Amino acid sequence: MHLNGTIAEESWFDDDVTPQLFKDELMAGTGDVTVWINSPGGDCVAAAQIYNMLVEYPGSVTVKIDGIAASAASVIAMAGTRVLMSPVSMLMIHNPMTIAFGDSGEMQKAIEMLGSVKDSIINAYEIKTGLSRAKLSHLMDAETWMDANKAIELGFADEIMKRSGETEAMDTPNVSMLYSKASVVNSLMGKIAAKCKIQPTPAPQEPAGRSVDALKADLNAIKNYI
């Protein structure tokens, strides 16, 4: 099975992945299943439905991320019995977002709703990774991008995808990459602030030695005695 494109409740242009389309394909066969994921994410509720389908599926579910599993797509990936990532793939997690309209009461309802959605997403990440909810919340706050090595290190994935016919995992550099949009923005703003910082004007210093008036007084005194 291939999960390519945006995840949505309904498909308007026949290029979205919907729960119903996914269910029809999933139930078309029997036995173990492999789900290839290359998706920027989409609707959280639709993703939750697909996640539950895979968790409840009677066979083994292998998830292979061959491009990107971002946002809601990363939640679906957590349903895999095994999660494999291509050496050149990425996984991204962030806080849920919405569009709200109305007065302050409506805005508060939207905030509370987003908090509940975030908690439900953390549930999926926590089950897969074993990380603390506080750690996962921090990673989501920072909009965190992970390469395959970092995803395995943090528990979001299990191994690197193998070449066809190989029995051992592909050799990969012992270097992992974790990119945080919030950290980069904060670092950049800090550098800009330091570069544009206005240095305070130093206070004027009192001139050393005698003043002009004192010098004139001394000269006048000398003239009086000459």
Side-chain angles (χ1 to χ4, degrees):
M1 297 180 61
H2 290 267
L3 196 161
N4 291 318
T6 305
I7 302 161
E9 283 287 348
E10 297 181 5
S11 179
W12 295 96
F13 302 102
D14 296 327
D15 58 353
D16 297 321
V17 179
T18 68
Q20 187 59 55
L21 290 173
F22 190 86
K23 182 179 180 180
D24 292 342
E25 186 174 352
L26 181 64
M27 297 304 174
T30 58
D32 297 342
V33 64
T34 297
V35 181
W36 295 79
I37 297 180
N38 179 31
S39 170
D43 187 274
C44 291
V45 175
Q49 289 180 279
I50 296 174
Y51 171 89
N52 291 330
M53 291 177 200
L54 294 176
V55 169
E56 293 295 322
Y57 187 73
S60 177
V61 176
T62 299
V63 169
K64 293 186 176 182
I65 302 172
D66 59 343
I68 184 173
S71 189
S74 69
V75 176
I76 294 175
M78 299 300 99
T81 309
R82 291 169 61 242
V83 179
L84 286 70
M85 289 183 66
S86 161
V88 294
S89 64
M90 297 291 291
L91 186 144
M92 185 272 278
I93 66 175
H94 68 166
N95 286 331
M97 296 178 289
T98 190
I99 298 174
F101 175 81
D103 59 18
S104 60
E106 294 299 321
M107 296 299 104
Q108 187 59 45
K109 290 179 183 178
I111 292 171
E112 293 173 357
M113 179 271 291
L114 288 174
S116 297
V117 172
K118 180 175 181 177
D119 285 339
S120 68
I121 292 173
I122 290 178
N123 289 339
Y125 294 151
E126 184 182 23
I127 292 170
K128 176 62 182 175
T129 68
L131 295 174
S132 69
R133 297 184 72 85
K135 173 68 173 178
L136 291 166
S137 178
H138 177 71
L139 292 172
M140 293 172 70
D141 290 342
E143 185 180 305
T144 301
W145 293 75
M146 292 167 268
D147 67 357
N149 289 307
K150 180 57 70 173
I152 292 172
E153 179 184 328
L154 294 178
F156 288 90
D158 300 305
E159 61 182 284
I160 303 290
M161 288 169 54
K162 307 177 184 68
R163 290 191 180 94
S164 178
E166 286 187 341
T167 57
E168 298 295 332
M170 295 173 61
D171 291 333
T172 55
N174 294 322
V175 177
S176 60
M177 190 281 289
L178 184 145
Y179 166 82
S180 166
K181 179 180 177 181
S183 296
V184 171
V185 170
N186 290 338
S187 175
L188 178 60
M189 294 304 294
K191 291 179 180 179
I192 292 174
K195 189 73 174 178
C196 299
K197 183 178 180 180
I198 299 175
Q199 298 297 332
T201 304
Q205 297 180 349
E206 292 293 332
R210 294 177 293 176
S211 67
V212 174
D213 292 338
L215 184 58
K216 285 182 179 180
D218 290 342
L219 290 174
N220 290 331
I222 293 172
K223 287 194 294 182
N224 292 335
Y225 289 99
I226 295 176

